[in-house]
Amino acid sequence: MAKKTLNVGIVGYGFMGRTHANAFRKVTNFFDLPATPVLKAACGRDEAKLKAYCDRWGWESAETDWRKLIDRKDIDVIDICTPNDSHAEIAIAAARAGKMVMCEKPLAMNGPQGEEMVRVIEETKVPNMVWYNYRRVPAVTFAKQLIDEGRLGRIFHYRAKFLQDWTISADLPQGGAGLWRLDAGAAGSGVTGDLLAHCIDTALWLNGTIGSVSAMTETFIKQRTHTATGTVQEVKIDDACAFLARFDNGSLATFESTRYARGHKALYTLEINGENASIAWDLHDLHRLQFFDYKDQGSLRGWRSIHITDGDHPYMSKWWVPGLQIGYEHTFVHQVADFFEGAANGKSVAPTFRDALETQYVCDAVLDSAKNGRWQDVKHAI
Amino acid sequence: MAKKTLNVGIVGYGFMGRTHANAFRKVTNFFDLPATPVLKAACGRDEAKLKAYCDRWGWESAETDWRKLIDRKDIDVIDICTPNDSHAEIAIAAARAGKMVMCEKPLAMNGPQGEEMVRVIEETKVPNMVWYNYRRVPAVTFAKQLIDEGRLGRIFHYRAKFLQDWTISADLPQGGAGLWRLDAGAAGSGVTGDLLAHCIDTALWLNGTIGSVSAMTETFIKQRTHTATGTVQEVKIDDACAFLARFDNGSLATFESTRYARGHKALYTLEINGENASIAWDLHDLHRLQFFDYKDQGSLRGWRSIHITDGDHPYMSKWWVPGLQIGYEHTFVHQVADFFEGAANGKSVAPTFRDALETQYVCDAVLDSAKNGRWQDVKHAI
Amino acid sequence: MAKKTLNVGIVGYGFMGRTHANAFRKVTNFFDLPATPVLKAACGRDEAKLKAYCDRWGWESAETDWRKLIDRKDIDVIDICTPNDSHAEIAIAAARAGKMVMCEKPLAMNGPQGEEMVRVIEETKVPNMVWYNYRRVPAVTFAKQLIDEGRLGRIFHYRAKFLQDWTISADLPQGGAGLWRLDAGAAGSGVTGDLLAHCIDTALWLNGTIGSVSAMTETFIKQRTHTATGTVQEVKIDDACAFLARFDNGSLATFESTRYARGHKALYTLEINGENASIAWDLHDLHRLQFFDYKDQGSLRGWRSIHITDGDHPYMSKWWVPGLQIGYEHTFVHQVADFFEGAANGKSVAPTFRDALETQYVCDAVLDSAKNGRWQDVKHAI
Amino acid sequence: MAKKTLNVGIVGYGFMGRTHANAFRKVTNFFDLPATPVLKAACGRDEAKLKAYCDRWGWESAETDWRKLIDRKDIDVIDICTPNDSHAEIAIAAARAGKMVMCEKPLAMNGPQGEEMVRVIEETKVPNMVWYNYRRVPAVTFAKQLIDEGRLGRIFHYRAKFLQDWTISADLPQGGAGLWRLDAGAAGSGVTGDLLAHCIDTALWLNGTIGSVSAMTETFIKQRTHTATGTVQEVKIDDACAFLARFDNGSLATFESTRYARGHKALYTLEINGENASIAWDLHDLHRLQFFDYKDQGSLRGWRSIHITDGDHPYMSKWWVPGLQIGYEHTFVHQVADFFEGAANGKSVAPTFRDALETQYVCDAVLDSAKNGRWQDVKHAI
């Protein structure tokens, strides 16, 4: 069979632009795919930065207007790595132009905007996917397998946290390079859309839909200089957010995220307690899975620390040998591999735009609850 | 100086009866106190069990009616180890009889009952204390010192959980020996009064008062055989409880407790994140404290695992040598040592009845919030 | 059955005097024994210190000459807690007087001295035991059970280390209170007899006898002030010792001990690798056992951290409830419980004098090898 | 400045062929180098496998005879990834042809062969390097920095182990694809050259030269089917090797490696204890460094777990953001980056052939000592 190639046009060259480019470049060294990505064109507004980005990663051409990129006949896939406020416009235009769409998370600025994106993308039937990359950490994918095999039994509890400490200093400005996440205009929300969205996406995948939530948010540093205006302005994003949730399967959950947890760089942790077994995982040691099996002989029960580097662990046969760990960047490679596997056959892979809309609905309910102080039901997309 | 002795009369000979007796017996082997406890009398309703208990621990005499115990002139201290529903009556009678009172936690069945206890105990001015023993785990006491020294700076977050898994089986009855904690009539509440009360007491001590809470509770197994009646009855306690809280110092908190967290036996964990440092602790390895200091040189920052077994750690000069750990029972010895130190001078040591009432108010607010689904303000005693 | 009591006379009131007294006092609160210890008499040379020791622990009488103690008709058991150089004389005299003997480790100053002790003690047939207490850490006892059940299969490797850091300062004197361990005259050797002896005792118990060893020792600080003379003298003990060993079961081993491992207070670790399973343990978290079972399903294999606090773990049904840990001192209680269980029937419990002689032979071979730079065969007592 | 390119010709396409190709391909995406590698030609004997390898990794051309590769004028760098028995011949020919040489470890089959390699490579003055990749794990490089800054003070102890469990089954053949490491003819030795060589290289770098060693080796499975002949033959490699060592700086060391440590996949651990600080590291969590600083305030001393993912940690500014870990493959990228940095200026980077010869001498002394049962002095190259 002759291998098919699909030309990728990427919009955005920031941090995510790097992780995606790296994934497109290296996927074929490790995975055998029915369709393989070609780094055809990159798009961004700053010509010098764009050129440097293309040179470094081998993008064949450059565009400074994403509309032109979408117009190009030689582009099959549009990959969106821009700040959140432009996802909808680009994705909708791309879909209408018949391009497959890979979109950074969170899908949209809010549920209604996401609904419109889902409506169009499903009408056009183009393969689509949102970059919730942590589903494809091998340990997390393996957790999903264990759950699907029924090893946990009835689920009682789910817990997730995403703790960082990088914005504690009051001197940090809002907006500007690498800091658009502190600007509500570009980001929509703070940790809720940035970090909790990851926790929610994984949770929906592992534990099903959420029925209702009760949340609180806080902005610890109330004013920061805005890079765009140079003036001190009110900070409108949430620095921290925690919420209680009830899943539709009857389990209870706590979620929390903050950028003010001194000592934690990017500590995404999750734990799920079932009648027969429990699972825990942590991004700071992403190549390990903690597993407790009540079916083990009583006196020998304990949490197992499984080093997820064996050939029979998800994705791991593609990499090195047992004991040798992979890291953060590999999750994007896995996502590219799966997307192109699907795309070769015209199919989407999860999380699709619709899956990501469900996450958006939870975020919306969380932010609403934090504002009005009441339990909030979650609208459903799936 | 001639050492003073104080005669103790204990009510109850269950699990707590053992931990207290052990503490009274061994405190003088390790601590030099101005007043020392004498195991004078034990009280309980089952004569055979009572006799066995007295024989084992060296209680000099036995009573089957706690009122008679309180009437005895040779008793200085009443120690209450009964189920929660009898704390108030015994404590009030003891205080009115001029006895010092040590009372198991939680203080009362609810806030109003606790208020009455505090009113009487403060009127009578007898030294009093509630057995929230985890304050006196050396690692926790040391955490308090670090906070009091101002090492953490402004506090952003507090997190506490108390996870167990012993009631997952649907076959477990409610009530009966060792199982009164599953009977709402005797216990008042489930994990809230049993486990969360510990988490709240420590939190109030380390991080000050709580302003408001939003909670949820769940009873996973809806019906169990009641030992008293032999019939299947509705379970009225909370199997699990989680709540969001805002402390009066501006920090945010999550609390959770359950008896359905497969894989955890008695995992009480706490973490506190400050501007300059963070602290974490865990009951399963109670002799360690995790400490992160942002003032360490940047590239060398990391969580330190401090083995709290040195002579300059709280209480530890009394025990063995560095590296040799103590365990659960020692927290009760520390509490006895501190109580008798204070009692020799007619003073109470924390947590007093009033301190414990504050915890009760938080529990009440939590249970109310869980019932009515709204944020609930916390009444204050301190 | 009427319970029997046995009167104990202890020689020495130092650190081990405290651990033993505590064990004698508390054993009956937790264990039901056919014979129970009475703290009858304590013996030491400094009258003031001796009196303080008796008062604190409740020893009924005092003697300043151990020969008089042995002469007393009311003493059934002699417990030896003196520095190593007096073990032989006291133990032999006690045995000849028909007393049961509990002797601190190491048994003797060297093998030949130990042989004489074994000869006499076995002639007199008195119950005897040496205080290698780490066999009775529940996690270690449980490890022994797992090995005896054949779970490990053929053994390939054994590793043990005992790392401390308390003698790094050059200002520390040799000799004097608490420092006789630095004086070769009193201690015989340095870390070899003090710390490695523990590692060797456990190893012989878990993995059988050792055939040959190759060792090295070092004295990092060559001279220290001697407390007895006030002059600076050559340090004759070994500060550090490491050796390779071949067990008679074909497995290979490494052993190491030092008082110069900065950062480790009393880190006794052991690991044993078998064909089917492996075990690891560490004194700094003595209530946990690490267990790896190759028979677990492949992708789910991992080291289990077993919290050894359940009722079906060795000794643990006597203490608290699952999740609540015990510590260092409890190992001595277990040893007292087992000794008196045996003593009631005139029987010795392991490790007996003969068992301890085997350890002595290994220590001798180690010190010889370190001196002559050659592999040394180990003489056998068992 | 126009960037220079250097054409690489690789010999061998096995496991190391993959790690090197990946490193050559991705180095320029992350590092800005004065000279960059071009994947010019790959060489191997099996044409089909060679073609697949070239296709996958983008090698521009293929050769089946390494002599032809060396003869090619368009090749600047020869990279040797063949089994150990052909390193010398290829490296010497390459150097004589004026090619720069990157050679897989261990350098040679033994010291004398290594000496010849060093003699020629130094005569020809070509930049050269041996792929002891673990020096460039950021945590290990950082450890070296801490040592060079004098933070540890006088060194007392060094410990290293490399534990695996993949050859326990008696059914595994010797020789054949991926199994040449079990064939003494191809590998020279077993774990000594394969795994201990890594431990020794790092140790020499961190702690200086070794004076003498005492070793033991073992072959647990005595006979295995040889793939080449199909007959059962004696296994001549060492399955396990442990040795004691004295470093020239006065510190003591233990080293151990085995492929029979059930439960460990590739557990390379090292620890170094100095007067003022200690360091520990472990390949299974390679992105962490454990650090203990005695200069911390007494009661706050503890082992810090440093997550080596910050911009001021070695190499890490090139990768992602704090908290996001890299893995095994990145160590090869770092080595390529450093080699090409040096090569652009005609310089070698460590470990050079001469550095690797020093490791070879230690291996030789270890194997000699294991054979003759005596302490063996180590010959020096550096």
Side-chain angles (χ1 to χ4, degrees), chain B residues 277-305:
Chain B
S278 289
I279 283 172
W281 173 81
D282 143 12
L283 178 58
H284 274 200
D285 297 289
L286 64 83
H287 57 292
R288 288 185 178 274
L289 188 72
Q290 308 295 322
F291 181 65
F292 180 94
D293 195 343
Y294 187 65
K295 295 189 174 164
D296 285 342
Q297 178 189 319
S299 60
L300 284 168
R301 282 184 205 125
W303 283 83
R304 298 182 203 172
S305 182

mmCIF file of all heavy atoms in Angstrom, chain B residues 277-305:
data_model
loop_
_atom_site.group_PDB
_atom_site.id
_atom_site.type_symbol
_atom_site.label_atom_id
_atom_site.label_comp_id
_atom_site.label_asym_id
_atom_site.label_seq_id
_atom_site.Cartn_x
_atom_site.Cartn_y
_atom_site.Cartn_z
ATOM 1 N N ALA B 277 6.643 29.376 51.466
ATOM 2 C CA ALA B 277 6.950 27.978 51.782
ATOM 3 C C ALA B 277 5.660 27.179 51.831
ATOM 4 O O ALA B 277 4.572 27.749 51.969
ATOM 5 C CB ALA B 277 7.670 27.878 53.124
ATOM 6 N N SER B 278 5.801 25.886 51.681
ATOM 7 C CA SER B 278 4.660 24.980 51.771
ATOM 8 C C SER B 278 5.008 23.799 52.662
ATOM 9 O O SER B 278 6.186 23.453 52.827
ATOM 10 C CB SER B 278 4.261 24.464 50.381
ATOM 11 O OG SER B 278 3.663 25.482 49.611
ATOM 12 N N ILE B 279 3.964 23.198 53.215
ATOM 13 C CA ILE B 279 4.127 22.078 54.142
ATOM 14 C C ILE B 279 3.125 20.993 53.778
ATOM 15 O O ILE B 279 1.991 21.301 53.424
ATOM 16 C CB ILE B 279 3.867 22.561 55.588
ATOM 17 C CG1 ILE B 279 5.061 23.347 56.121
ATOM 18 C CG2 ILE B 279 3.522 21.416 56.499
ATOM 19 C CD1 ILE B 279 4.805 24.019 57.449
ATOM 20 N N ALA B 280 3.553 19.753 53.873
ATOM 21 C CA ALA B 280 2.614 18.647 53.677
ATOM 22 C C ALA B 280 2.913 17.543 54.680
ATOM 23 O O ALA B 280 4.068 17.349 55.081
ATOM 24 C CB ALA B 280 2.692 18.113 52.250
ATOM 25 N N TRP B 281 1.864 16.820 55.059
ATOM 26 C CA TRP B 281 2.014 15.760 56.055
ATOM 27 C C TRP B 281 0.979 14.689 55.794
ATOM 28 O O TRP B 281 -0.069 14.955 55.192
ATOM 29 C CB TRP B 281 1.827 16.343 57.470
ATOM 30 C CG TRP B 281 1.791 15.300 58.526
ATOM 31 C CD1 TRP B 281 2.852 14.673 59.111
ATOM 32 C CD2 TRP B 281 0.620 14.739 59.130
ATOM 33 N NE1 TRP B 281 2.408 13.762 60.033
ATOM 34 C CE2 TRP B 281 1.059 13.784 60.069
ATOM 35 C CE3 TRP B 281 -0.753 14.941 58.968
ATOM 36 C CZ2 TRP B 281 0.165 13.023 60.841
ATOM 37 C CZ3 TRP B 281 -1.638 14.192 59.727
ATOM 38 C CH2 TRP B 281 -1.178 13.248 60.668
ATOM 39 N N ASP B 282 1.269 13.496 56.297
ATOM 40 C CA ASP B 282 0.419 12.342 55.977
ATOM 41 C C ASP B 282 0.508 11.327 57.116
ATOM 42 O O ASP B 282 1.587 10.949 57.546
ATOM 43 C CB ASP B 282 0.934 11.834 54.630
ATOM 44 C CG ASP B 282 0.947 10.348 54.411
ATOM 45 O OD1 ASP B 282 0.365 9.587 55.180
ATOM 46 O OD2 ASP B 282 1.590 9.954 53.424
ATOM 47 N N LEU B 283 -0.636 10.918 57.625
ATOM 48 C CA LEU B 283 -0.688 10.046 58.803
ATOM 49 C C LEU B 283 -0.081 8.663 58.556
ATOM 50 O O LEU B 283 0.371 8.013 59.497
ATOM 51 C CB LEU B 283 -2.148 9.904 59.275
ATOM 52 C CG LEU B 283 -2.430 8.991 60.475
ATOM 53 C CD1 LEU B 283 -1.651 9.419 61.701
ATOM 54 C CD2 LEU B 283 -3.926 8.971 60.799
ATOM 55 N N HIS B 284 -0.061 8.214 57.331
ATOM 56 C CA HIS B 284 0.497 6.890 57.049
ATOM 57 C C HIS B 284 2.019 6.853 57.219
ATOM 58 O O HIS B 284 2.605 5.775 57.300
ATOM 59 C CB HIS B 284 0.102 6.416 55.643
ATOM 60 C CG HIS B 284 -1.230 5.741 55.600
ATOM 61 N ND1 HIS B 284 -1.618 4.908 54.587
ATOM 62 C CD2 HIS B 284 -2.269 5.762 56.465
ATOM 63 C CE1 HIS B 284 -2.834 4.459 54.817
ATOM 64 N NE2 HIS B 284 -3.256 4.962 55.939
ATOM 65 N N ASP B 285 2.639 7.994 57.248
ATOM 66 C CA ASP B 285 4.080 8.099 57.530
ATOM 67 C C ASP B 285 4.248 9.281 58.465
ATOM 68 O O ASP B 285 4.956 10.240 58.178
ATOM 69 C CB ASP B 285 4.870 8.298 56.234
ATOM 70 C CG ASP B 285 4.722 7.105 55.304
ATOM 71 O OD1 ASP B 285 5.275 6.043 55.626
ATOM 72 O OD2 ASP B 285 4.018 7.224 54.289
ATOM 73 N N LEU B 286 3.628 9.187 59.595
ATOM 74 C CA LEU B 286 3.426 10.354 60.470
ATOM 75 C C LEU B 286 4.710 10.967 60.995
ATOM 76 O O LEU B 286 4.703 12.106 61.489
ATOM 77 C CB LEU B 286 2.468 10.001 61.606
ATOM 78 C CG LEU B 286 2.886 8.926 62.623
ATOM 79 C CD1 LEU B 286 3.780 9.520 63.712
ATOM 80 C CD2 LEU B 286 1.628 8.401 63.303
ATOM 81 N N HIS B 287 5.814 10.237 60.886
ATOM 82 C CA HIS B 287 7.092 10.711 61.403
ATOM 83 C C HIS B 287 7.875 11.524 60.371
ATOM 84 O O HIS B 287 9.061 11.773 60.561
ATOM 85 C CB HIS B 287 7.916 9.503 61.833
ATOM 86 C CG HIS B 287 8.100 8.541 60.713
ATOM 87 N ND1 HIS B 287 7.054 7.815 60.183
ATOM 88 C CD2 HIS B 287 9.176 8.217 59.982
ATOM 89 C CE1 HIS B 287 7.488 7.085 59.193
ATOM 90 N NE2 HIS B 287 8.769 7.321 59.050
ATOM 91 N N ARG B 288 7.236 11.896 59.300
ATOM 92 C CA ARG B 288 7.895 12.710 58.270
ATOM 93 C C ARG B 288 7.104 13.983 58.043
ATOM 94 O O ARG B 288 5.877 13.987 58.143
ATOM 95 C CB ARG B 288 7.970 11.936 56.941
ATOM 96 C CG ARG B 288 8.964 10.797 56.966
ATOM 97 C CD ARG B 288 9.083 10.136 55.580
ATOM 98 N NE ARG B 288 10.072 9.079 55.588
ATOM 99 C CZ ARG B 288 11.378 9.277 55.387
ATOM 100 N NH1 ARG B 288 11.835 10.493 55.127
ATOM 101 N NH2 ARG B 288 12.217 8.268 55.420
ATOM 102 N N LEU B 289 7.827 15.059 57.721
ATOM 103 C CA LEU B 289 7.171 16.285 57.290
ATOM 104 C C LEU B 289 7.780 16.675 55.953
ATOM 105 O O LEU B 289 8.997 16.635 55.774
ATOM 106 C CB LEU B 289 7.385 17.415 58.304
ATOM 107 C CG LEU B 289 6.558 18.681 58.021
ATOM 108 C CD1 LEU B 289 5.088 18.435 58.318
ATOM 109 C CD2 LEU B 289 7.053 19.854 58.875
ATOM 110 N N GLN B 290 6.923 17.043 55.002
ATOM 111 C CA GLN B 290 7.390 17.535 53.712
ATOM 112 C C GLN B 290 7.422 19.054 53.789
ATOM 113 O O GLN B 290 6.447 19.674 54.209
ATOM 114 C CB GLN B 290 6.450 17.092 52.585
ATOM 115 C CG GLN B 290 6.150 15.595 52.559
ATOM 116 C CD GLN B 290 7.368 14.744 52.268
ATOM 117 O OE1 GLN B 290 8.200 15.114 51.468
ATOM 118 N NE2 GLN B 290 7.478 13.616 52.954
ATOM 119 N N PHE B 291 8.513 19.623 53.350
ATOM 120 C CA PHE B 291 8.669 21.077 53.462
ATOM 121 C C PHE B 291 9.327 21.612 52.199
ATOM 122 O O PHE B 291 10.345 21.085 51.748
ATOM 123 C CB PHE B 291 9.534 21.380 54.694
ATOM 124 C CG PHE B 291 9.759 22.850 54.946
ATOM 125 C CD1 PHE B 291 8.701 23.690 55.277
ATOM 126 C CD2 PHE B 291 11.034 23.402 54.865
ATOM 127 C CE1 PHE B 291 8.910 25.038 55.519
ATOM 128 C CE2 PHE B 291 11.247 24.751 55.104
ATOM 129 C CZ PHE B 291 10.186 25.578 55.427
ATOM 130 N N PHE B 292 8.719 22.646 51.634
ATOM 131 C CA PHE B 292 9.300 23.288 50.446
ATOM 132 C C PHE B 292 9.568 24.740 50.795
ATOM 133 O O PHE B 292 8.665 25.454 51.225
ATOM 134 C CB PHE B 292 8.317 23.213 49.273
ATOM 135 C CG PHE B 292 8.850 23.850 48.019
ATOM 136 C CD1 PHE B 292 9.512 23.091 47.060
ATOM 137 C CD2 PHE B 292 8.709 25.217 47.788
ATOM 138 C CE1 PHE B 292 10.012 23.670 45.907
ATOM 139 C CE2 PHE B 292 9.214 25.810 46.635
ATOM 140 C CZ PHE B 292 9.864 25.033 45.689
ATOM 141 N N ASP B 293 10.798 25.171 50.603
ATOM 142 C CA ASP B 293 11.171 26.531 50.969
ATOM 143 C C ASP B 293 11.589 27.294 49.718
ATOM 144 O O ASP B 293 12.623 27.004 49.115
ATOM 145 C CB ASP B 293 12.319 26.484 51.987
ATOM 146 C CG ASP B 293 12.494 27.828 52.675
ATOM 147 O OD1 ASP B 293 11.980 28.841 52.154
ATOM 148 O OD2 ASP B 293 13.132 27.861 53.740
ATOM 149 N N TYR B 294 10.791 28.288 49.372
ATOM 150 C CA TYR B 294 11.089 29.083 48.178
ATOM 151 C C TYR B 294 12.355 29.906 48.374
ATOM 152 O O TYR B 294 12.951 30.362 47.405
ATOM 153 C CB TYR B 294 9.899 29.999 47.876
ATOM 154 C CG TYR B 294 10.007 30.752 46.575
ATOM 155 C CD1 TYR B 294 10.011 30.067 45.355
ATOM 156 C CD2 TYR B 294 10.119 32.142 46.551
ATOM 157 C CE1 TYR B 294 10.107 30.748 44.160
ATOM 158 C CE2 TYR B 294 10.214 32.827 45.352
ATOM 159 C CZ TYR B 294 10.216 32.130 44.150
ATOM 160 O OH TYR B 294 10.316 32.795 42.967
ATOM 161 N N LYS B 295 12.770 30.074 49.618
ATOM 162 C CA LYS B 295 13.990 30.857 49.874
ATOM 163 C C LYS B 295 15.259 30.065 49.599
ATOM 164 O O LYS B 295 16.353 30.632 49.600
ATOM 165 C CB LYS B 295 13.954 31.401 51.304
ATOM 166 C CG LYS B 295 12.801 32.403 51.469
ATOM 167 C CD LYS B 295 12.815 33.142 52.777
ATOM 168 C CE LYS B 295 11.706 34.222 52.743
ATOM 169 N NZ LYS B 295 11.379 34.742 54.077
ATOM 170 N N ASP B 296 15.140 28.782 49.396
ATOM 171 C CA ASP B 296 16.312 28.009 48.955
ATOM 172 C C ASP B 296 16.769 28.538 47.603
ATOM 173 O O ASP B 296 15.974 29.072 46.830
ATOM 174 C CB ASP B 296 15.945 26.513 48.799
ATOM 175 C CG ASP B 296 15.821 25.811 50.137
ATOM 176 O OD1 ASP B 296 16.321 26.329 51.147
ATOM 177 O OD2 ASP B 296 15.205 24.723 50.168
ATOM 178 N N GLN B 297 18.034 28.339 47.322
ATOM 179 C CA GLN B 297 18.562 28.754 46.012
ATOM 180 C C GLN B 297 17.746 28.102 44.891
ATOM 181 O O GLN B 297 17.422 26.920 44.947
ATOM 182 C CB GLN B 297 20.021 28.315 45.932
ATOM 183 C CG GLN B 297 20.666 28.648 44.599
ATOM 184 C CD GLN B 297 22.034 28.018 44.475
ATOM 185 O OE1 GLN B 297 22.796 28.009 45.433
ATOM 186 N NE2 GLN B 297 22.355 27.489 43.303
ATOM 187 N N GLY B 298 17.404 28.889 43.858
ATOM 188 C CA GLY B 298 16.479 28.450 42.811
ATOM 189 C C GLY B 298 16.671 27.048 42.298
ATOM 190 O O GLY B 298 15.767 26.205 42.386
ATOM 191 N N SER B 299 17.833 26.744 41.773
ATOM 192 C CA SER B 299 18.007 25.449 41.121
ATOM 193 C C SER B 299 18.020 24.300 42.117
ATOM 194 O O SER B 299 17.953 23.143 41.730
ATOM 195 C CB SER B 299 19.297 25.445 40.306
ATOM 196 O OG SER B 299 20.399 25.681 41.158
ATOM 197 N N LEU B 300 18.111 24.630 43.394
ATOM 198 C CA LEU B 300 18.181 23.587 44.421
ATOM 199 C C LEU B 300 16.874 23.427 45.188
ATOM 200 O O LEU B 300 16.804 22.686 46.163
ATOM 201 C CB LEU B 300 19.311 23.913 45.409
ATOM 202 C CG LEU B 300 20.709 23.634 44.872
ATOM 203 C CD1 LEU B 300 21.761 24.253 45.778
ATOM 204 C CD2 LEU B 300 20.935 22.120 44.777
ATOM 205 N N ARG B 301 15.845 24.122 44.736
ATOM 206 C CA ARG B 301 14.566 23.995 45.435
ATOM 207 C C ARG B 301 13.928 22.626 45.208
ATOM 208 O O ARG B 301 13.918 22.129 44.084
ATOM 209 C CB ARG B 301 13.584 25.056 44.942
ATOM 210 C CG ARG B 301 13.830 26.415 45.524
ATOM 211 C CD ARG B 301 12.753 27.387 45.066
ATOM 212 N NE ARG B 301 13.290 28.739 45.107
ATOM 213 C CZ ARG B 301 13.311 29.581 44.077
ATOM 214 N NH1 ARG B 301 12.800 29.233 42.906
ATOM 215 N NH2 ARG B 301 13.837 30.767 44.221
ATOM 216 N N GLY B 302 13.400 22.084 46.267
ATOM 217 C CA GLY B 302 12.704 20.802 46.166
ATOM 218 C C GLY B 302 12.003 20.541 47.479
ATOM 219 O O GLY B 302 12.298 21.182 48.489
ATOM 220 N N TRP B 303 11.052 19.637 47.450
ATOM 221 C CA TRP B 303 10.378 19.253 48.693
ATOM 222 C C TRP B 303 11.357 18.439 49.519
ATOM 223 O O TRP B 303 11.903 17.445 49.058
ATOM 224 C CB TRP B 303 9.133 18.436 48.377
ATOM 225 C CG TRP B 303 7.998 19.291 47.913
ATOM 226 C CD1 TRP B 303 7.791 19.752 46.638
ATOM 227 C CD2 TRP B 303 6.942 19.827 48.714
ATOM 228 N NE1 TRP B 303 6.667 20.535 46.602
ATOM 229 C CE2 TRP B 303 6.108 20.598 47.863
ATOM 230 C CE3 TRP B 303 6.597 19.731 50.067
ATOM 231 C CZ2 TRP B 303 4.972 21.260 48.331
ATOM 232 C CZ3 TRP B 303 5.455 20.388 50.518
ATOM 233 C CH2 TRP B 303 4.656 21.138 49.660
ATOM 234 N N ARG B 304 11.548 18.861 50.763
ATOM 235 C CA ARG B 304 12.396 18.105 51.684
ATOM 236 C C ARG B 304 11.535 17.127 52.466
ATOM 237 O O ARG B 304 10.493 17.499 53.003
ATOM 238 C CB ARG B 304 13.030 19.031 52.721
ATOM 239 C CG ARG B 304 13.923 20.072 52.155
ATOM 240 C CD ARG B 304 14.512 20.869 53.319
ATOM 241 N NE ARG B 304 14.930 22.169 52.834
ATOM 242 C CZ ARG B 304 15.339 23.146 53.606
ATOM 243 N NH1 ARG B 304 15.405 22.951 54.918
ATOM 244 N NH2 ARG B 304 15.695 24.296 53.092
ATOM 245 N N SER B 305 12.008 15.917 52.563
ATOM 246 C CA SER B 305 11.357 14.932 53.411
ATOM 247 C C SER B 305 12.111 14.920 54.733
ATOM 248 O O SER B 305 13.198 14.351 54.826
ATOM 249 C CB SER B 305 11.392 13.566 52.735
ATOM 250 O OG SER B 305 10.721 12.631 53.533
#
